[in-house]
Amino acid sequence: MTAYQDLSDHFGRIAAVSDALGILQWDNDVMMPVGASARRGESLAALNVLRHGMTTDPRLGDLIASAEADTGLGVWERANLREIRRIWTVETALPADLVAASARAVAACEMAWRQARAASDFPALLPRLAEVLRLQREIAVAKGERLGLSPYDALLNDYEPGGRSADIDLLFDDLAAFLPGFTAEVMERQARRPADPPLEGPFPVETQRALGLRMMAALGFDFTRGRLDVSTHPFCGGADDDVRITTRYDEADFASALMGVLHETGHALYEQGRPAAWMAQPVGRARGMSIHESQSLLMEMQACRSAAFLAFAAPVLREAFGRSGPAWEAEALRRRFTRVAPGFIRVEADEVTYPAHVILRYRIEKALIADQMPLSELPAAWNAGMAALLGIVPPNDRLGCLQDVHWPSGGWGYFPTYTLGAMTAAQLFDAARQADPGIMEAIAGGDFGPLVGWLRTHVHGLGSLYETPELLTRATGRPLDASVFKAHLHRRYLDEA
Amino acid sequence: MTAYQDLSDHFGRIAAVSDALGILQWDNDVMMPVGASARRGESLAALNVLRHGMTTDPRLGDLIASAEADTGLGVWERANLREIRRIWTVETALPADLVAASARAVAACEMAWRQARAASDFPALLPRLAEVLRLQREIAVAKGERLGLSPYDALLNDYEPGGRSADIDLLFDDLAAFLPGFTAEVMERQARRPADPPLEGPFPVETQRALGLRMMAALGFDFTRGRLDVSTHPFCGGADDDVRITTRYDEADFASALMGVLHETGHALYEQGRPAAWMAQPVGRARGMSIHESQSLLMEMQACRSAAFLAFAAPVLREAFGRSGPAWEAEALRRRFTRVAPGFIRVEADEVTYPAHVILRYRIEKALIADQMPLSELPAAWNAGMAALLGIVPPNDRLGCLQDVHWPSGGWGYFPTYTLGAMTAAQLFDAARQADPGIMEAIAGGDFGPLVGWLRTHVHGLGSLYETPELLTRATGRPLDASVFKAHLHRRYLDEA
């Protein structure tokens, strides 16, 4: 057996443990009875320790060096080896007890967060969150030292390999300067047009679920390798060949679940479209979180809030809910699904105000990781940032700094990828339409085949073969910038509004 | 840290991995999309290998010896140490690659079995099942050499620690001699009484599920630490503090799902009642499969087919299904639920003919493990055994040797525990009623508290503190024999019929 084959087998076994963790985490959020949480925390911690032990196996350093000297490897093998070295470098930066302590702190903090959010009680969460943050800083410092990165960039690197906050600062400062004036102009424009009549509920959960399944099928979701379920916080998770998305239903408003399903289906199509031959190898993984989020936003925002999609969807919605009238016409639905209004909740935000939510969180988490702000000041900093970026202040912390699971669950350095994803989505969708002008017409007929086919070739099927900038340059002709995203917003919300 | 504490921590981590396996197996049978089975097989195999590595850690031999020399241990610690040595002795008998090969063969065979059963196609299963059997024999020989047991007894020992086929032969030969004549007498008696009118369906699945949940609550199931779901083959599984039972619904017949739920709830009450302080340690585990099955049969057969329970259940059933009339009176339901008739399917068998199904399987699997019969002759041997023991021959293998998942899933040596459990159930229930004469009256009022309280004290809360014969002797005053079971059958099916 060559060194490369030995490594490949080893990382295949690591993938099998990661798959187990994916299903256990899904079960934790979707199925688990409440009294099992303590023992489940032990199980997740134990498997994380075992996986960490596998990725830091003392044999790996020499094996990687030997494989790198192997001149017989193909392009995929060499890229796989590059990803293996990346993982090994990051993982060997952390002692096993730090990994286990972080997993336990996160499990406890997530439980506390559920109660604290319900009660809008930030002080109740503070000690648990401080412990998570303390451990995240330890992790950030250890990884940063190993990788030659600042602590924040070391965390960002886990979600966005190669990403740097210096670059993000430039992109986000650009958006932060553009959006307030643009948002005001859009809202002024929308205020002048007559209000559409309301979409009157109730919309039964079972009907919404059937509609979601129908739309997932239209987009190309493979139900032999995935599921749709319910959880408090929607996500796309599961395992290889077992991609599980979740949503939550509101009988008074079908749109949030429907758009959520379309969003998570975008993530799921990426996971289901990864290269089958490399599914369980590092090079077969999704490239990073900004590309991942680009796939969900490309579906939800770019494709499914378009006039073309709503021409297809309007009669489906009317039939599903047994409704009719002017509010249910395609153009009225398009206006509704592109309505802009600053709000408190990130996951309910429209695509124009969404970046402000992300920029707020990005700036705060950078300051917290750099220890430039006490955690106890989080609510005040949050509210000040909301006032500055969106012109509104949440009346309580449930609608403010307690709304997201990311920080309690240890997901620091993740938030910027949402807006990097939005910009990437605009750039990819634009390139796809230029490459295949029939894409929008097909979508208007309920056929996502041409769009998904282009994505399979230029994104999904490539896994982690290329670094993110190269992936984007090959697909769109240039690295990421904000111009296509801004042009998209201008066209949709001013030119075509 | 003492050697004992070190061991205790180590086996706590092993329990966390076992819990993960329990949830993954549940998910495999209840939730998983069909296309995920290959990758899931990899995950289960990987975790089994990791767990095997933990139970065979080279440090353990010395640690166990050091702990055994520790004179400061209490009675629970000493019993825990005895169980740890038992596990370590068995596990170190097997090389890791044999464990992994068996897990993979089982995963493949289970999938093949599902198709082969549906198509009644034994030849299609034969190669996969032969591979499972070949690996089971290897396992049996390796364990038997280590433990000084015959190969079959070495497999039996996994499910029934200390159990010996020589003892089972005596008990089963006794039953095999008693039952045919007794069954004929019961059937003759039942043939003379007028037929009850049918229980007319349909019985909607949702109503059946609600009824099952209500009965689980009446028996004392803790829903904060467990669930009820649907699977093809009902089981009780899951993890510590997360006990998950399954059933399957037939809209034409509510009784099979209801009785199945009562049966699995008996298993679940045992799991939920294990000693909390020792939950994740070997001494806190269920004692063995005959005691486990005794808990399900004590609920389903002893308690819930009694006149007392049906006096409580009859009005609940009438209300749930909106039915009335003579067929729905308690005594008519009691007659229906104690009807005896030889049939092809074990899981549908009544308590009088059930042992014949078990004796058949026990004799066949003993012969197969001992290599005294070619696997290709299984259908013929099965049909000959059915003719001899029950006087009927299945028309196809779907109703014959393909009906059970046990052999395809690697559960060799398990079958005898069903009938050992039936005898144990009779002996325990008899002792409980003698100790607390109010038990039946409470059940007639829908209150299982007195019965479950006795079981908590004498069975559930003891975990694996005592070996099986001592547990039974402490609870009932004597080791297991068939006399109480036979007296129970005589009373229910002849004296009170």
Side-chain angles (χ1 to χ4, degrees), chain B residues 113-126 129 344-346 360-361 375-384 386 393-405 407-408:
Chain B
W113 168 75
R114 290 202 173 86
Q115 297 177 349
R117 185 173 78 153
S120 196
D121 186 353
F122 178 78
L125 179 66
L126 185 56
L129 189 60
F344 302 123
I345 301 295
R346 175 184 59 83
L360 168 70
R361 287 156 177 76
L375 186 60
S376 59
E377 289 179 13
L378 171 56
W382 185 283
N383 294 351
M386 285 293 288
V393 175
N396 58 51
D397 292 336
R398 186 172 62 79
L399 298 172
C401 66
L402 290 175
Q403 68 185 271
D404 290 314
V405 75
W407 291 336

Side-chain angles (χ1 to χ4, degrees), chain B residues 15-136:
Chain B
V17 177
S18 294
D19 278 356
L21 277 160
I23 297 299
L24 287 171
Q25 190 61 58
W26 173 88
D27 185 275
N28 191 86
D29 297 344
V30 176
M31 290 289 155
M32 189 182 77
V34 64
S37 64
R39 293 285 309 148
R40 180 62 57 86
E42 294 295 320
S43 271
L44 292 170
L47 291 196
N48 270 304
V49 167
L50 287 171
R51 182 171 62 174
H52 182 66
M54 295 168 84
T55 52
T56 57
D57 188 311
R59 299 185 314 125
L60 293 185
D62 288 348
L63 276 178
I64 292 170
S66 297
E68 285 170 343
D70 184 341
T71 55
L73 300 181
V75 61
W76 280 90
E77 283 87 355
R78 283 202 306 276
N80 198 30
L81 198 49
R82 180 197 68 219
E83 295 301 315
I84 286 172
R85 177 172 278 286
R86 188 201 305 280
I87 293 166
W88 177 77
T89 304
V90 170
E91 293 289 320
T92 50
L94 298 185
D97 57 352
L98 179 54
V99 175
S102 178
R104 280 202 196 83
V106 156
C109 191
E110 278 192 8
M111 292 303 291
W113 168 75
R114 290 202 173 86
Q115 297 177 349
R117 185 173 78 153
S120 196
D121 186 353
F122 178 78
L125 179 66
L126 185 56
R128 298 274 193 200
L129 189 60
E131 179 66 3
V132 168
L133 173 58
R134 184 182 72 76
L135 291 161
Q136 284 289 309

Side-chain angles (χ1 to χ4, degrees), chain A residues 11 109 112 223 231 411 449:
Chain A
F11 276 82
C109 191
F223 287 97
S231 70

